[in-house]
Amino acid sequence: MSGTSADGVDAAVVDVRGAGHALKLKLIAFRTFPYRAPFRARLLNAMTDGRLPDVCHLNAGLGEWFARAALAVARHAGLSSRDIALIGSHGQTFHHLPRPKREPGLGRIRSTLQLGSPAVIAERTGIDTVADFRMRDMAAGGEGAPLAPYLHYLLFRDSRHTRAVVNIGGISNLTYLPANGSLLAVRAFDTGPGNMLIDGVVTQITRGRQTFDRDGRLAAKGTVQAQFLGKLLRHRYLQRAPPKSTGREEFGGGFVKKLLATGLGKHAGAAGGGPRMGWARP
């Protein structure tokens, strides 16, 4: 898969045994394959200003990326394609519209689009490929995100302890697992922006010399601006009750530019003097 940050493909080889409460997982190999800078730039630009030919081309191109990643991580594990039972491919989220929109004659519709043609992946690898998870979740009445709560329930539920599984990706999400709770008691939702927003700010204030805050080094030099943080925490998305999901449409490039033009701009140093972030690491 590739997350909302759209910085590359994560690929894993996993040994899966059993099902339901007897599920056992063993990670055999994992690798990340960063997108080449020109490709990533075209992808990010197309997410907001892309034309139909761009979307068509990127769908096939991402399929090639995912196929190469799958074959490479299998080789890294000392396996051939014949040893792999199936590929599960989330793809690359291109646009996510979880708020219902009325369509005459069809009612209220929610939609999401992931690129990375599973047909290309299957053809290049020779391995059965399963995909389009988010849209299936929406068709069943879900938000399309987050996708992993059922797995969290199988792996991390506990009869005595309430647990929360937090994933800080491009967009952050949370799965709440009440003690001795049933599957129907599980709650999960996108909490708001994560690394995607930090990546966007770092890219802007370094004029593209850096695209993320490696090891949190820039954030570690900063101090929390309480007033500005309070303003961020009043964002309309954070005030909404779950279930909810979000993405680049709400917290993408336009939001980053707005941050830099308002409060954050007062606390981020000029590129020549080195950037100073307006927030610190947790």
Side-chain angles (χ1 to χ4, degrees), residues 135-212:
M135 195 63 241
R136 180 61 187 270
D137 184 72
M138 278 195 168
E143 283 269 334
L147 278 177
Y150 179 56
L151 182 64
H152 293 159
Y153 170 72
L154 294 179
L155 296 180
F156 302 119
R157 76 194 186 286
D158 189 87
S159 60
R160 294 178 300 168
H161 301 288
T162 293
R163 291 174 171 171
V165 180
V166 179
N167 166 52
I168 305 179
I171 293 293
S172 297
N173 52 67
L174 178 147
T175 301
Y176 171 73
L177 305 166
N180 202 33
S182 68
L183 179 59
L184 293 178
V186 174
R187 296 291 180 265
F189 59 95
D190 284 346
T191 58
N195 294 320
M196 180 190 72
L197 192 54
I198 299 173
D199 293 350
V201 171
V202 170
T203 300
Q204 290 294 320
I205 65 176
T206 66
R207 294 185 172 91
R209 291 194 298 274
Q210 300 178 50
T211 56
F212 65 100

Side-chain angles (χ1 to χ4, degrees), residues 181-264:
S182 68
L183 179 59
L184 293 178
V186 174
R187 296 291 180 265
F189 59 95
D190 284 346
T191 58
N195 294 320
M196 180 190 72
L197 192 54
I198 299 173
D199 293 350
V201 171
V202 170
T203 300
Q204 290 294 320
I205 65 176
T206 66
R207 294 185 172 91
R209 291 194 298 274
Q210 300 178 50
T211 56
F212 65 100
D213 186 8
R214 185 181 296 276
D215 300 324
R217 295 169 187 169
L218 299 179
K221 298 177 181 179
T223 56
V224 175
Q225 305 295 323
Q227 184 176 2
F228 185 63
L229 176 60
K231 182 178 179 180
L232 290 177
L233 291 175
R234 291 191 295 273
H235 189 277
R236 60 187 180 184
Y237 179 80
L238 302 184
Q239 307 307 312
R240 282 174 49 200
K244 59 182 179 179
S245 60
T246 189
R248 193 171 292 276
E249 298 74 27
E250 182 118 38
F251 295 107
F255 188 77
V256 169
K257 291 178 181 177
K258 185 177 179 180
L259 287 183
L260 292 171
T262 57
L264 185 56

Side-chain angles (χ1 to χ4, degrees), residues 66-144:
F66 287 117
R68 293 185 181 189
L71 292 173
V73 77
R75 289 194 300 269
H76 182 66
L79 302 171
S80 72
S81 59
R82 294 186 299 273
D83 300 314
I84 308 297
L86 60 86
I87 293 173
S89 177
H90 166 273
Q92 172 70 66
T93 294
F94 190 76
H95 212 72
H96 185 63
L97 300 173
R99 305 299 294 273
K101 181 179 180 181
R102 183 168 296 279
E103 181 67 28
L106 296 176
R108 295 167 67 83
I109 292 176
R110 293 178 296 168
S111 60
T112 186
L113 178 63
Q114 283 67 48
L115 301 187
S117 171
V120 171
I121 299 171
E123 188 67 27
R124 297 291 180 262
T125 64
I127 303 169
D128 290 343
T129 301
V130 184
D132 216 12
F133 303 124
R134 287 196 188 275
M135 195 63 241
R136 180 61 187 270
D137 184 72
M138 278 195 168
E143 283 269 334

Side-chain angles (χ1 to χ4, degrees), residues 41-60:
R42 293 201 306 274
L43 177 60
L44 292 177
N45 181 68
M47 287 180 179
T48 53
D49 300 310
R51 300 175 298 116
L52 186 57
D54 301 325
V55 179
C56 185
H57 174 79
L58 287 167
N59 186 45

